[in-house]
Amino acid sequence: MILTRKIKLVIVSENQNEGYQLIRNEIREQHKALNLAYNHLYFEHNAIQKLKQNDEDYKKKCSKLQEQVNKKYEEYQKAKDTQKKEKLRDTYNKKKEELYKFEKERNEEARKAYQQVVGFTQQTRIRNLINRECNLMSDTKDGITSKVTQDYKNDCKAGLLYGKRSLRNYRKDNPLLVRGRSLKFYKENEDYFIKWNKGIVFKCILHIRKKNIAELKSVLENVLLNTYKVCDSSISFDNKEMILNLSLNIPDKETQDYIPGRIVGVDLGIKIPAYVSLSDKVYVRKGIGSIDDFLRVRTQMQERRRRLQKSLAAVKGGKGREKKLKALERLKEKEANFVKTYNHFLSTQIVTFAMKNQAGQINMEFLEFDKMKNKSLLRNWSYYQLQTMIEYKAKREGIVVRYVDAYHTSQTCSKCGHYEEGQRNTQEKFVCKNCDFEVNADYNASQNIAKSTSYISDSTESEYHKQKQKVLEDVEKEKNIINEQLSLFDK
Ligand SMILES: [Zn+2]
């Protein structure tokens, strides 16, 4: 598991001034290199695609396969008999798979052909480009190559090549990438030092945030003992302070201290952003966050921005305007980050709740996009981001996150299991029409989620989706019967 800690650094070796200068230069050159390398990867992708598409044989085979896929899809869509329909869907999926495999093979061939023309491996090509254009330490070059390759891969997964995401632009103050193996920690009279490249020695300053000192010391002791392995990290400047973003590989936690079978159910809502409870203990529950606080702070920010924009319109030019423009930029950024900050707060609270109660699993609803939109009445609110944060924070603690079908979770009684529409009287109250159980509605939903075993990983598996599908099919059937009757009538 990876652990990160921020540590303030000062250079204490004789080459202090040159040292700071060197790091700032390196950050500047690295910014150039990151953008160059990233753009290079995208350019190479396009060149390879071009190579593939110039091949007549490929074009012919590809359009033929595509035609077949379309035909199979049409047949599947037209079929009425359920059994037959299922079979046709299988053949359609198989054809689609075939096309996918074909594309993959041809991509591989084109990549090989490209490699033969330009020579070297992709890694070396990036390296050569950086060597030519930028003046960097060899460690930084290594860091750039692996970072850019990884970033590019992630962006492709997120849909870069299908226009779902635009090309990445690295910031000017992107932290300097440093290799873990180049950071050599040692201790002298209660102080911690790090020997780095070019004879630079850093001293670790631990007393910035007082309450963290003990924790940081224990982390550094573990580094010295080699129980924590130093990974590739980075150095950044924060208001002229130099900060090491130290990344450590620490041994996985024992998961034995979790109580078997205990699950946390998380209900994401509007008034209370997250409500948590346990599957096996009725009285442990908690509402996390409040939408009123959230809205108040956000409105304050928006008002400040509006005032600034107004006063900007009155100023014609000069230094004053420039200053105000900068302030406006900062404010906008803060506003955009606010949701993220709030999601960080919520996710930390949820995972802490699970840990405190020794639950090794967290259940959440699988939210479909349209339902998500429905639930998030607030502009810019991102449940998806929140769920992603919960997932990675839970993983760090050895807690599993699973998604359950959201079908009926808020309309079913968590005590007797009775389902009926209209049991959620108000936003806050749930009253069971079978057993008269009266309870906080968010708590009721979180209980259903905690106890649910209908795990799903795709929206098409949800009961909601199946029901919708069934209604559509029924309508289709009815239409056919009516048509048949009408045709009899015509005769
Ligand atoms: Zn009931």
Side-chain angles (χ1 to χ4, degrees):
M1 198 188 80
I2 300 294
L3 176 89
T4 56
R5 283 292 174 269
K6 284 185 190 300
I7 298 173
K8 186 182 163 187
L9 298 180
V10 287
I11 299 179
V12 288
S13 45
E14 270 178 29
N15 56 356
Q16 202 178 39
N17 289 337
E18 298 99 299
Y20 285 114
Q21 197 55 44
L22 180 120
I23 292 173
R24 288 197 184 272
N25 277 341
E26 199 74 1
I27 288 182
R28 208 171 306 131
E29 286 291 291
Q30 177 188 263
H31 167 243
K32 253 168 44 184
L34 282 169
N35 282 323
L36 275 170
Y38 186 91
N39 293 343
H40 175 76
L41 284 179
Y42 186 63
F43 161 79
E44 287 206 330
H45 164 79
N46 284 314
I48 291 166
Q49 288 299 307
K50 197 97 208 147
L51 219 58
K52 187 178 80 176
Q53 274 144 14
N54 278 346
D55 180 358
E56 284 304 319
D57 176 56
Y58 162 78
K59 267 200 272 188
K60 248 187 241 157
K61 271 191 189 155
C62 186
S63 69
K64 202 172 144 200
L65 268 171
Q66 186 63 56
E67 238 169 63
Q68 286 171 342
V69 171
N70 293 347
K71 210 175 120 205
K72 293 288 169 212
Y73 182 71
E74 250 170 56
E75 283 172 12
Y76 155 63
Q77 282 286 309
K78 271 188 197 151
K80 274 156 202 138
D81 179 61
T82 331
Q83 242 183 343
K84 209 173 161 193
K85 203 174 171 84
E86 229 158 79
K87 252 190 193 162
L88 283 168
R89 192 185 56 198
D90 283 347
T91 39
Y92 158 63
N93 278 336
K94 262 184 208 149
K95 260 286 159 228
K96 217 166 61 176
E97 193 67 31
E98 205 180 307
L99 175 65
Y100 177 71
K101 221 179 123 195
F102 172 73
E103 282 281 4
K104 215 173 147 189
E105 273 169 21
R106 287 303 167 104
N107 278 337
E108 200 44 52
E109 277 171 32
R111 198 168 304 134
K112 274 185 194 149
Y114 180 81
Q115 188 129 330
Q116 267 192 343
V117 177
V118 294
F120 308 115
T121 63
Q122 191 174 60
Q123 298 279 314
T124 317
R125 294 199 295 268
I126 297 176
R127 190 73 185 220
N128 289 345
L129 174 76
I130 300 176
N131 274 340
R132 204 165 57 229
E133 302 296 334
C134 311
N135 183 17
L136 284 159
M137 291 192 295
S138 143
D139 260 17
T140 317
K141 285 182 216 159
D142 288 346
I144 291 168
T145 316
S146 60
K147 177 178 169 57
V148 166
T149 320
Q150 193 55 47
D151 284 348
Y152 182 74
K153 221 188 234 168
N154 290 344
D155 290 351
C156 285
K157 263 190 207 153
L160 174 72
L161 304 177
Y162 307 104
K164 283 185 185 167
R165 173 174 283 250
S166 54
L167 291 176
R168 203 179 273 243
N169 207 340
Y170 291 97
R171 292 168 58 122
K172 255 189 189 149
D173 54 357
N174 197 84
L176 177 64
L177 306 166
V178 295
R179 303 301 281 187
R181 53 160 196 256
S182 306
L183 297 167
K184 296 187 178 79
F185 286 80
Y186 65 96
K187 193 175 173 184
E188 241 175 53
N189 311 324
E190 293 313 299
D191 284 324
Y192 299 90
F193 297 90
I194 306 168
K195 216 172 139 192
W196 193 52
N197 298 336
K198 311 259 176 191
I200 294 173
V201 176
F202 302 111
K203 185 179 168 187
C204 302
I205 310 293
L206 304 182
H207 58 258
I208 2 173
R209 292 185 206 97
K210 280 225 159 78
K211 60 177 179 185
N212 276 344
I213 292 185
E215 203 257 347
L216 276 181
K217 271 191 180 169
S218 107
V219 167
L220 288 172
E221 286 299 327
N222 274 307
V223 171
L224 292 175
L225 285 170
N226 243 339
T227 27
Y228 290 2
K229 203 176 153 278
V230 181
C231 306
D232 292 350
S233 304
S234 66
I235 293 175
S236 55
F237 284 95
D238 185 10
N239 278 331
K240 295 202 171 162
E241 278 191 350
M242 194 160 65
I243 307 287
L244 170 68
N245 307 296
L246 181 62
S247 185
L248 299 162
N249 195 349
I250 70 172
D252 277 332
K253 273 197 189 153
E254 303 269 335
T255 48
Q256 281 159 354
D257 50 347
Y258 291 130
I259 293 166
R262 177 169 289 176
I263 297 170
V264 173
V266 182
D267 179 54
L268 300 178
I270 298 164
K271 275 209 105 163
I272 296 175
Y275 203 102
V276 290
S277 66
L278 297 178
S279 59
D280 61 340
K281 262 191 173 175
V282 284
Y283 50 87
V284 185
R285 51 178 91 170
K286 195 177 176 189
I288 296 171
S290 133
I291 215 59
D292 298 331
D293 287 346
F294 175 82
L295 285 177
R296 203 180 45 244
V297 178
R298 210 187 54 174
T299 315
Q300 278 170 1
M301 271 191 198
Q302 283 170 343
E303 265 163 22
R304 245 194 306 167
R305 176 168 54 84
R306 253 178 240 130
R307 271 202 305 275
L308 199 58
Q309 269 166 337
K310 234 183 182 175
S311 72
L312 246 173
V315 189
K316 284 236 168 77
K319 272 243 160 92
R321 187 183 164 81
E322 226 168 77
K323 245 187 180 168
K324 278 186 175 159
L325 268 175
K326 264 194 188 149
L328 184 65
E329 268 321 298
R330 269 203 303 274
L331 214 54
K332 273 186 183 164
E333 204 169 298
K334 221 172 157 187
E335 219 181 302
N337 279 332
F338 184 59
V339 174
K340 196 172 168 190
T341 312
Y342 200 67
N343 276 341
H344 266 304
F345 160 74
L346 294 174
S347 51
T348 304
Q349 293 276 315
I350 291 166
V351 174
T352 311
F353 178 84
M355 280 161 64
K356 268 192 186 151
N357 290 293
Q358 295 173 279
Q361 184 177 327
I362 293 176
N363 278 3
M364 285 189 282
E365 286 178 302
F366 189 97
L367 295 174
E368 289 181 62
F369 191 68
D370 49 342
K371 204 179 167 192
M372 230 184 317
K373 248 166 93 190
N374 237 329
K375 260 199 162 186
S376 56
L377 296 174
L378 302 168
R379 196 165 48 94
N380 291 339
W381 183 269
S382 171
Y383 278 108
Y384 179 71
Q385 184 187 52
L386 175 60
Q387 289 193 323
T388 318
M389 282 182 184
I390 295 170
E391 245 181 71
Y392 83 70
K393 286 179 188 175
K395 203 174 160 197
R396 276 199 314 221
E397 304 301 337
I399 298 170
V400 185
V401 171
R402 298 193 73 178
Y403 291 94
V404 302
D405 195 345
Y407 191 65
H408 288 175
T409 42
S410 61
Q411 294 292 352
T412 302
C413 172
S414 61
K415 197 174 176 193
C416 73
H418 176 69
Y419 161 75
E420 196 176 322
E421 286 291 329
Q423 296 193 110
R424 188 170 190 157
N425 277 16
T426 56
Q427 187 60 38
E428 282 109 65
K429 214 164 89 186
F430 178 93
V431 182
C432 178
K433 288 187 178 169
N434 180 45
C435 71
D436 293 330
F437 183 50
E438 217 182 292
V439 73
N440 173 296
D442 293 327
Y443 167 71
N444 185 61
S446 77
Q447 276 291 291
N448 286 330
I449 294 166
K451 288 172 182 165
S452 170
T453 49
S454 356
Y455 298 116
I456 59 172
S457 54
D458 188 279
S459 65
T460 55
E461 294 168 39
S462 81
E463 197 55 38
Y464 170 75
H465 181 88
K466 282 181 199 158
Q467 297 281 338
K468 208 168 81 184
Q469 219 46 32
K470 203 172 163 269
V471 170
L472 287 180
E473 271 166 33
D474 286 349
V475 168
E476 197 62 29
K477 261 184 211 157
E478 207 139 304
K479 248 171 47 194
N480 287 334
I481 293 171
I482 292 172
N483 279 337
E484 255 167 57
Q485 284 171 345
L486 282 176
S487 65
L488 281 178
F489 194 72
D490 280 343
K491 280 172 193 168

